[in-house]
Amino acid sequence: MKSLDPRVNRLPGFGQGEVQPKAALDQLGTYEVFVQAKEGKPFQHEGIVHASDIELAYILAKETFTRRFTCVSLYVTDTRDVYVSPLSEGQTSAYDLLPAAEVQQGEQEMYEVYHLVKRGKQHVHAGEVSASSPQGAMQVAKQQLGVGKVVYNVWVIRKKAIRYTTDTDKDLWLTLPDKKYRDASDYKAGDKLTAFLEKAKHAV
Amino acid sequence: MYGGGNTFEGIKTDSLSQEDPQKLAEFEARIARGEKIEPGDWMPDMYRKQLIRMIEQHGHSEIIGALPEGTWITRAPGFKRKLSLMAKVQDEVGHAQLLYSAAETLGKSREQMLDDLITGKSKYSNIFNYPAFTWADSCFISWLVDAGAIVNQLANAKGSYGPYCRALERICAEESFHLKYGHHCVIYLASGTDKQRQMFQEALNRWWAPMMHFFGPSDKISAHTEVLMKWKVKMSTNDDQRNQFLDMYVPKIWELGFTIPDPKLKKNTETNKWEYTEPDWEEFKRVINGDGPCNKERLEVRRIAEERGRWVREALKSPSMRYVTPLA
């Protein structure tokens, strides 16, 4: 085997190695990524990244989802820290499918609440609630954010489990305006094409 | 970048008879209403398997597709072209991540997908088994292979599986840069010196056959896709996509004064369809099954990259060291 690219031919062990199957968790765990498209707009779920810890997840989320000014802020949380309601359909709200839970006494913590209001779309931030457990947070969210609404799926996340964007992180996006070469608008060749076509016409 | 319709393999419909008929009817009614299927919803086993296969192949195509172009980054003509090509290759690898994530929601781990790519168990878009000899080949890929991929992806973005559609919307937005960049490069070659024009013409001659293969076997011979169309897994037939591509790009290629190496290529004004020499489907089959000019190299490069990154992933997995300030 010989490649056209000399650097490929120089790869150590090129053409000689065996495939080593990957161990479980070779690709690390997953983190959920939430982004805010514009100042004042709600955060929404954007996707996942694989990472070894929440700091790396934050950096990878920035690289994966915000290469082109697509958000002003983002945050990440370990997938295991998202507490998920059942999925409902039709006119049934996911809140009505929650298992009955006694509201427990205990230390109150803040939770972010996400709603799926249209199937096929992303989960969108609905508000925050205070509760002593994720189950409790679901119940509080039902009363405070879910009345009279059809919500197909609810996620609650303990705020302490979230890696938010801090003020000093915001300069992560400061160099983006210089990276015009990532945008289609930087590749205008209309004039060149018109000149070429004009020349071709005269040549004929 | 992905062409879809990549195999001749038939679809096994026998598992369908074992599905709960009521659940199946509800599932099909949901799709018929235009609603998306989400990861927590009930779905037939065959739907899950087909989607995993399709999304995974799409992800692999992004990773492998970055190789023939990536090899041109250091040799791209000038700093600006290097920057653009680097940004494009970064996008492609990012797309693979989005797609693998969508496939993961259906229950296949990323470890397994990467293993299946390297062992050759899973396929990727056949076009990347051909080499990029010159800079003009890289321009052909950026412009026309991406254009083909956009035709396919815009169709699939209207499919039924929520996470795949959302990934595709994001991908299509980024592909618009690839397409404009590619066209920009080709316009510069076309309006350049005779040597530059000749370079692109030669690249076009090399890549036209793989490009025609890109959308998959002709509808006449390709495996049964009715149930996949009904479930909105496949959104249009291979021939329809090929026709749409020809409609959009043949005039743009001709406008630049290049010759497409197919004497039979013309649009039938009555049927509104393009006519062309039937692509060599035997070659397509042979290359998909491993006997193309670059199959081995592509997988070997991928294997070495995985191997070389292994220690990094392992180190990340168990960060046992912690820094403490020295005592004295």
Side-chain angles (χ1 to χ4, degrees):
Chain A
M1 189 184 345
K2 199 162 169 21
S3 171
L4 283 171
D5 185 346
R7 289 163 311 159
V8 169
N9 292 319
R10 286 198 298 269
L11 284 173
F14 181 61
Q16 294 152 20
E18 304 234 315
V19 179
Q20 303 281 336
K22 291 192 180 306
L25 271 182
D26 173 271
Q27 294 291 301
L28 312 165
T30 62
Y31 290 79
E32 305 294 326
V33 181
F34 302 86
V35 307
Q36 185 183 25
K38 287 201 177 92
E39 220 62 73
K41 288 252 180 189
F43 278 78
Q44 68 164 26
H45 182 247
E46 207 57 44
I48 63 163
V49 290
H50 285 245
S52 53
D53 60 54
I54 205 159
E55 277 306 310
L56 183 62
Y58 182 85
I59 297 296
L60 294 178
K62 178 241 162 196
E63 285 303 319
T64 308
F65 295 102
T66 72
R67 290 199 298 280
R68 293 184 175 85
F69 253 164
T70 46
C71 81
V72 290
S73 181
L74 69 86
Y75 55 71
V76 294
T77 189
D78 192 317
T79 301
R80 292 168 296 179
D81 287 324
V82 182
Y83 186 81
V84 182
S85 81
L87 194 60
S88 70
E89 49 193 301
Q91 287 307 303
T92 314
S93 181
Y95 280 119
D96 297 329
L97 303 177
L98 291 177
E102 288 170 35
V103 178
Q104 291 164 352
Q105 299 304 313
E107 199 193 329
Q108 296 283 306
E109 284 190 275
M110 294 303 288
Y111 287 81
E112 302 281 9
V113 181
Y114 276 79
H115 284 171
L116 180 67
V117 285
K118 190 164 188 297
R119 290 179 65 102
K121 294 291 170 198
Q122 306 275 16
H123 287 69
V124 179
H125 189 249
E128 302 178 2
V129 295
S130 168
S132 59
S133 67
Q135 292 86 339
M138 283 278 182
Q139 298 294 344
V140 178
K142 179 180 178 177
Q143 287 151 20
Q144 292 183 3
L145 306 168
V147 177
K149 265 188 228 162
V150 179
V151 175
Y152 295 112
N153 194 224
V154 186
W155 291 352
V156 297
I157 313 159
R158 202 160 55 94
K159 289 188 78 161
K160 279 192 183 140
I162 293 175
R163 162 64 165 94
Y164 290 96
T165 296
T166 63
D167 280 346
T168 50
D169 291 331
K170 295 234 171 190
D171 58 10
L172 281 174
W173 292 287
L174 283 183
T175 57
L176 272 183
D178 300 336
K179 296 179 180 168
K180 288 263 190 307
Y181 58 86
R182 286 178 178 169
D183 291 316
S185 62
D186 204 33
Y187 298 90
K188 292 198 177 76
D191 291 350
K192 190 121 181 144
L193 181 61
T194 315
F196 170 80
L197 295 177
E198 277 299 311
K199 211 173 132 198
K201 208 157 64 183
H202 291 306
V204 174
Chain B
M1 295 185 286
Y2 180 56
N6 215 357
T7 64
F8 286 92
E9 283 166 49
I11 299 146
K12 295 193 191 80
T13 47
D14 31 334
S15 72
L16 259 188
S17 56
Q18 285 151 33
E19 303 288 1
D20 179 336
Q22 197 191 333
K23 282 183 174 159
L24 185 61
E26 283 168 13
F27 166 84
E28 291 187 340
R30 186 194 298 288
I31 293 175
R33 283 197 301 273
E35 277 182 42
K36 304 284 182 197
I37 305 296
E38 292 296 336
D41 288 326
W42 182 90
M43 60 186 88
D45 193 42
M46 191 180 126
Y47 178 84
R48 186 184 298 275
K49 281 196 180 133
Q50 280 295 329
L51 270 170
I52 290 177
R53 188 170 83 160
M54 187 163 102
I55 303 172
E56 182 187 354
Q57 278 187 7
H58 189 167
H60 295 333
S61 304
E62 302 283 349
I63 292 264
I64 299 290
L67 298 178
E69 284 187 295
T71 192
W72 277 97
I73 291 175
T74 54
R75 295 171 288 170
F79 181 63
K80 280 201 81 170
R81 290 289 191 234
K82 286 184 173 66
L83 265 182
S84 313
L85 189 53
M86 242 192 306
K88 179 175 189 294
V89 167
Q90 185 186 20
D91 282 351
E92 306 296 3
V93 177
H95 295 170
Q97 306 220 19
L98 300 179
L99 292 159
Y100 286 148
S101 302
E104 265 182 89
T105 62
L106 290 158
K108 184 164 182 178
S109 73
R110 200 158 86 165
E111 285 84 0
Q112 194 59 53
M113 287 188 266
L114 292 174
D115 277 352
D116 288 350
L117 167 65
I118 299 171
T119 58
K121 194 175 166 214
S122 306
K123 304 289 183 218
Y124 51 85
S125 190
N126 199 43
I127 202 161
F128 303 121
N129 288 320
Y130 292 86
F133 282 101
T134 70
W135 166 246
D137 294 65
S138 157
C139 298
F140 182 99
I141 299 175
S142 299
W143 183 30
L144 293 165
V145 179
D146 276 67
I150 293 174
V151 167
N152 177 261
Q153 287 164 177
L154 282 176
N156 282 351
K158 297 189 190 76
S160 60
Y161 190 57
Y164 187 40
C165 299
R166 291 190 288 267
L168 284 174
E169 272 171 32
R170 181 172 275 283
I171 290 171
C172 287
E174 298 190 345
E175 297 276 4
S176 69
F177 142 58
H178 303 175
L179 186 69
K180 288 289 277 183
Y181 155 76
H183 195 200
H184 193 268
C185 290
V186 175
I187 290 173
Y188 272 66
L189 289 177
S191 54
T193 62
D194 289 348
K195 181 80 194 153
Q196 283 174 306
R197 290 190 55 84
Q198 188 195 341
M199 256 173 73
F200 187 74
Q201 182 62 57
E202 286 170 4
L204 181 62
N205 297 347
R206 279 192 283 273
W207 286 83
W208 192 251
M211 193 69 230
M212 292 296 280
H213 287 152
F214 184 74
F215 300 94
S218 141
D219 296 348
K220 286 175 288 209
I221 52 171
S222 83
H224 223 43
T225 52
E226 281 143 42
V227 71
L228 297 183
M229 299 271 273
K230 182 163 80 172
W231 288 350
K232 297 188 185 166
V233 170
K234 201 171 165 56
M235 297 302 289
S236 58
T237 73
N238 298 352
D239 282 343
D240 283 349
Q241 290 191 9
R242 196 164 11 246
N243 196 62
Q244 196 187 337
F245 169 81
L246 293 171
D247 236 3
M248 290 166 80
Y249 293 96
V250 168
K252 286 190 185 344
I253 298 169
W254 280 344
E255 167 185 82
L256 293 171
F258 294 114
T259 311
I260 294 171
D262 179 357
K264 285 198 192 156
L265 183 73
K266 68 168 181 3
K267 190 166 181 176
N268 183 327
T269 44
E270 277 170 29
T271 60
N272 226 13
K273 300 259 184 215
W274 285 82
E275 291 169 358
Y276 43 81
T277 310
E278 192 61 29
D280 179 353
W281 296 115
E282 286 310 309
E283 178 188 328
F284 175 75
K285 228 186 256 188
R286 187 171 56 75
V287 175
I288 272 195
N289 289 326
D291 193 20
C294 293
N295 301 50
K296 290 198 182 70
E297 174 187 336
R298 299 286 183 242
L299 292 185
E300 188 58 7
V301 168
R302 203 51 240 150
R303 181 191 69 76
I304 293 175
E306 286 297 318
E307 240 1 85
R308 291 173 120 189
R310 186 183 293 263
W311 72 269
V312 179
R313 296 190 301 273
E314 263 165 26
L316 283 171
K317 206 158 62 176
S318 50
S320 57
M321 297 292 285
R322 289 256 182 264
Y323 182 80
V324 288
T325 312
L327 295 178

